[in-house]
């Protein structure tokens, strides 16, 4: 594998032009070609499986099992789903029946948007770069990939492999950092898909606005986890701690803080400490089941947040930026205005915040930016319903964490500062697809129906045109007419009820008395 080399800025226009010519040739539109590209992507991963795992280990210290479960399996599953269903997804759809429009054959065509730019992150470079690539290829686009410059081993590997599996006018790779990204976003694209921080997303959004390029952002955020008094606390502790520490906490879907009901706080913390000991035997630094932070600078930032906390560290707390190590850490009694609550930690630090009840937990979560996901641990269906109905987030997961992006058929995306748009499966296909309206209006409609639209305009034509918009609606809520209708409906129901009662009970009474007389 060659050393990491940034793509020269002067090469970027040629790369983009090649992809544009590839798209304009029309070769990416047939379903056969789309499926061929999806197969190429699948075998790019399958043929080089171990190399991808090795690159993740080199960049992030990722254990093979974790990398396989969290990235490789999910991405291959999404490619498989797209391959099997792209023909169905791409079919034209008929509009719902309307007598006025039926004879114009209203249809929704699904066409690719053009050349798609996908800017990937360092933390999940396969899942968040190659999974959107699958969606963009399924939609019939050509694609430019920009891997993160922080995950150098993965960026090198992707740059090496893409030319071996794809034609140069279908998929290309640009390597580099801020200069390359800045150059890329100067151009108009069919779509931009970016995974990363809100700060960079604002820069990309501003540039995209100048070229009127549509964007999809997956930005993460501080995902709250609510632990109810009726939760299975052992289950909650095991799953929450795993979700917080997977990839050393560098996951946009990770639970950032736990809002635990006070009545079970001590028991929950005890279960967390027991789980911690079982996961790492109280020595995570020597564990082969724990990743590392991407750079010493990132580790220092997390360490600074941890050093300023007013909460009590009850597990972990060790910081070694030189070796990119932050120990899995649990901090209890974290104040709402604490350093650990000031920004997304993006590291293996779990904050515990006690609340009096579920209503207080909901209010706490709602007072902050809308997260990528809300997690709920409870066995009470009423609590589940209350939290789901009274919070906002890109997703809600009950009694588990982190795994929902891999769920086939579900959209994966955020809302507000956690992002917008989706980039998995059919939802990702839709993201990179232009839904194009199509009408085919026969000439005879002018003779039978639409002739009043042509000048000269007359009163008679105006009356006929108005009949086309004579849609019937119920009366406005609270109006006198609505009240009359309501009581009229009640009266009608009463009459029918009386008739039905007479028909049923009258006969029964007659039958009983008749039987008695006999």
């Amino acid at each position: 594998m060659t050393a990491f080399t940034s793509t020269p800025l002067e090469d970027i226009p040629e790369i983009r032009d090649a992809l544009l010519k590839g798209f304009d040739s029309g070769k990416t539109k047939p379903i056969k070609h789309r499926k061929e590209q999806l197969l190429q992507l699948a075998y790019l991963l399958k043929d080089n499986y171990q190399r991808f795992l090795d690159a993740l280990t080199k960049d992030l210290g990722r254990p093979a099992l974790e990398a396989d479960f969290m990235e490789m399996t999910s991405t291959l599953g999404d490619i498989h789903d797209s391959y099997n269903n792209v023909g169905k997804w791409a079919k034209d759809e008929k509009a719902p029946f309307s007598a006025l429009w039926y004879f114009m054959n209203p249809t929704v065509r699904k066409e690719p948007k053009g050349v798609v730019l996908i800017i990937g992150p360092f933390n999940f470079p396969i899942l968040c770069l190659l999974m959107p690539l699958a969606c963009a290829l399924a939609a019939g686009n050509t694609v430019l990939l920009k891997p993160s410059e922080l995950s150098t081993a993965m960026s090198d590997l992707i740059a090496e492999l893409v030319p071996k599996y794809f034609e140069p006018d279908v998929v290309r790779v640009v390597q580099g950092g801020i200069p390359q990204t800045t150059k890329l976003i100067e151009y108009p694209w069919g779509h931009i898909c970016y995974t990363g921080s809100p700060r960079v997303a604002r820069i990309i959004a501003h540039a995209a606005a100048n070229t009127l390029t549509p964007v999809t952002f997956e930005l993460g955020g501080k995902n709250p986890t609510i632990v109810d008094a009726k939760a299975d606390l052992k289950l909650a502790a095991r799953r929450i701690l795993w979700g917080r520490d997977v990839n050393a906490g560098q996951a946009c879907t990770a639970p950032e803080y736990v809002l635990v009901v006070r009545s079970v706080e001590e028991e929950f913390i005890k279960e967390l400490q027991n789980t911690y000991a079982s996961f790492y035997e109280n020595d995570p630094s020597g564990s082969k089941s724990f990743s590392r932070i991407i750079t010493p600078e990132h580790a220092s930032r997390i360490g600074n947040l941890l050093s300023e906390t007013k909460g009590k560290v009850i597990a972990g707390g060790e910081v070694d930026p030189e070796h990119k190590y932050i120990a899995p850490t649990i901090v209890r009694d974290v104040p709402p205005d604490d350093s650990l609550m000031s920004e997304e930690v993006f590291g293996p630090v779990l904050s515990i915040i006690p609340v009096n009840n579920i209503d207080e937990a909901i209010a706490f979560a709602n007072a902050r930016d809308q997260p990528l996901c809300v997690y709920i641990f409870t066995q009470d269906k009423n609590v589940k319903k209350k939290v789901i109905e009274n919070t906002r987030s890109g997703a809600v997961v009950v009694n588990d964490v982190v795994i929902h992006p891999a769920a086939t058929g579900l959209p994966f995306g955020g809302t507000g500062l956690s992002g917008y748009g989706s980039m998995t499966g059919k939802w990702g296909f839709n993201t990179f697809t232009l839904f194009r309206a199509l009408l085919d209006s026969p000439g005879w409609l002018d003779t039978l129906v639409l002739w009043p639209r042509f000048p000269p305009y007359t009163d008679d034509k105006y009356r006929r045109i108005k009949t086309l918009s004579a849609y019937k609606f119920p009366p406005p809520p609270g109006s006198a007419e609505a009240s009359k209708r309501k009581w009229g409906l009640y009266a009608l129901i009463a009459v029918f009820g009386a008739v039905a009662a007479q028909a049923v009970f009258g006969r029964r009474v007659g039958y009983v008395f008749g039987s008695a007389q006999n």
Side-chain angles (χ1 to χ4, degrees):
M1 189 184 297
T2 59
F4 180 83
T5 304
S6 295
T7 302
L9 296 180
E10 58 269 22
D11 290 354
I12 289 177
E14 180 277 324
I15 293 172
R16 181 182 173 276
D17 287 346
L19 292 170
L20 188 58
K21 288 177 182 177
F23 177 75
D24 288 342
S25 73
K27 70 178 184 180
T28 62
K29 291 185 178 181
I31 299 302
K32 181 175 181 293
H33 185 273
R34 302 186 196 193
K35 297 187 76 169
E36 288 172 352
Q37 303 313 300
L38 289 168
L39 275 182
Q40 289 295 100
L41 179 57
Y43 282 100
L44 181 150
L45 281 169
K46 289 172 68 67
D47 294 346
N48 302 280
Y49 212 97
Q50 189 59 49
R51 294 189 68 189
F52 275 101
L53 297 181
D54 291 345
L56 288 169
T57 299
K58 185 173 182 180
D59 286 333
L60 292 158
R62 291 275 290 277
L65 185 151
E66 185 179 287
D68 204 319
F69 176 68
M70 294 298 294
E71 294 213 65
M72 298 294 283
T73 300
S74 298
T75 304
L76 283 169
D78 211 65
I79 297 169
H80 188 263
D81 184 40
S82 295
Y83 180 84
N84 286 336
N85 293 292
V86 61
K88 178 175 62 176
W89 295 344
K91 282 184 178 179
D92 293 350
E93 291 185 13
K94 297 294 184 183
F97 175 78
S98 168
L100 178 61
W101 303 102
Y102 174 76
F103 293 105
M104 298 185 195
N105 192 28
T107 304
V108 178
R109 285 180 57 83
K110 300 173 185 177
E111 299 182 355
K113 287 186 174 181
V115 185
V116 169
L117 171 62
I118 301 175
I119 304 173
F122 71 81
N123 60 326
F124 284 91
I126 300 172
L127 190 73
C128 296
L129 191 73
L130 301 187
M131 186 181 286
L133 172 59
C135 297
L137 292 173
N141 301 282
T142 57
V143 184
L144 196 153
L145 298 174
K146 166 58 180 68
S148 172
E149 69 277 14
L150 298 179
S151 49
T152 56
M154 183 60 69
S155 182
D156 281 341
L157 181 60
I158 290 172
E160 175 197 335
L161 294 178
V162 162
K164 296 179 181 179
Y165 287 82
F166 295 101
E167 295 173 285
D169 59 351
V170 176
V171 183
R172 295 287 285 273
V173 177
V174 166
Q175 290 183 278
I178 293 175
Q180 284 70 25
T181 302
T182 302
K183 184 68 174 177
L184 287 170
I185 61 178
E186 290 176 0
Y187 296 98
W189 301 89
H191 199 100
I192 295 175
C193 178
Y194 167 74
T195 302
S197 70
R199 179 184 62 81
V200 176
R202 289 187 177 95
I203 297 171
I204 294 174
H206 182 79
N210 289 332
T211 58
L212 297 180
T213 297
V215 296
T216 293
F217 290 146
E218 192 281 281
L219 308 176
K222 295 188 74 65
N223 305 307
T225 302
I226 298 174
V227 176
D228 178 42
K230 294 183 179 180
D232 180 332
L233 299 179
K234 186 173 183 178
L235 174 79
R238 182 172 70 247
R239 291 183 173 180
I240 292 169
L241 192 62
W242 168 78
R244 175 67 276 185
D245 294 344
V246 72
N247 199 29
Q250 299 165 110
C252 57
T253 55
E256 276 268 320
Y257 61 94
V258 178
L259 300 166
V260 57
V261 175
R262 291 184 190 276
S263 61
V264 294
E265 178 187 7
E266 295 302 328
E267 185 179 353
F268 174 66
I269 287 174
K270 182 178 179 181
E271 292 291 354
L272 277 175
Q273 292 172 318
N274 291 339
T275 301
Y276 190 99
S278 69
F279 279 3
Y280 308 115
E281 296 180 351
N282 293 314
D283 182 23
S285 64
S287 173
K288 295 182 179 180
S289 302
F290 186 66
S291 302
R292 292 299 182 265
I293 304 301
I294 187 66
T295 66
E297 293 75 19
H298 283 67
S300 292
R301 179 190 62 82
I302 298 167
N304 289 338
L305 294 175
L306 189 55
S307 68
E308 295 172 4
T309 183
K310 298 180 179 65
K312 180 181 179 181
V313 176
I314 58 173
E318 295 79 21
V319 176
D320 183 358
E322 182 181 352
H323 294 94
K324 303 188 293 185
Y325 175 71
I326 300 289
T329 300
I330 303 171
V331 186
R332 67 173 298 174
D333 300 324
V334 174
D337 60 349
D338 195 70
S339 59
L340 295 175
M341 295 300 295
S342 63
E343 60 181 87
E344 184 178 5
V345 175
F346 218 64
V349 181
L350 183 65
S351 300
I352 310 298
I353 303 171
V355 293
N356 292 317
N357 50 52
I358 294 300
D359 290 330
E360 184 180 332
I362 291 172
F364 189 100
N366 286 341
R368 284 147 184 83
D369 294 329
Q370 296 166 21
L372 193 59
C373 192
V374 169
Y375 299 115
I376 314 162
F377 283 84
T378 184
Q379 303 301 317
D380 188 329
K381 64 180 181 180
N382 293 323
V383 171
K384 296 177 188 178
K385 181 179 180 182
K386 175 180 280 192
V387 175
I388 293 169
E389 291 183 351
N390 292 282
T391 56
R392 292 192 66 191
S393 59
V396 184
V397 177
V398 181
N399 291 324
D400 214 327
V401 296
V402 175
I403 61 174
H404 58 283
T408 302
L410 290 183
F412 173 54
T415 177
L417 282 184
S418 61
Y420 44 82
S422 302
M423 58 180 194
T424 50
K426 183 178 186 296
W427 301 93
F429 170 89
N430 290 347
T431 292
F432 300 116
T433 295
L434 170 64
F435 288 81
R436 191 179 183 193
L438 173 64
L439 283 177
D440 186 354
S441 182
W444 57 263
L445 282 175
D446 286 351
T447 304
L448 294 182
V449 181
L450 297 178
W451 59 268
R453 63 176 166 159
F454 300 109
Y457 299 142
T458 65
D459 291 343
D460 179 56
K461 287 182 177 180
Y462 188 40
R463 282 192 297 271
R464 291 178 182 272
I465 286 293
K466 284 181 70 65
T467 61
L468 297 178
S469 61
Y471 299 107
K472 298 294 184 182
F473 292 93
S479 66
E481 187 180 354
S483 181
K484 287 180 181 178
R485 284 199 175 190
K486 181 176 68 174
W487 289 110
L489 179 62
Y490 289 163
L492 189 62
I493 292 173
V495 169
F496 274 112
V499 171
Q502 177 62 31
V504 176
F505 296 109
R507 288 181 183 178
R508 288 184 178 177
V509 170
Y511 176 79
V512 172
F513 283 124
S515 299
Q517 290 171 355
N518 290 337

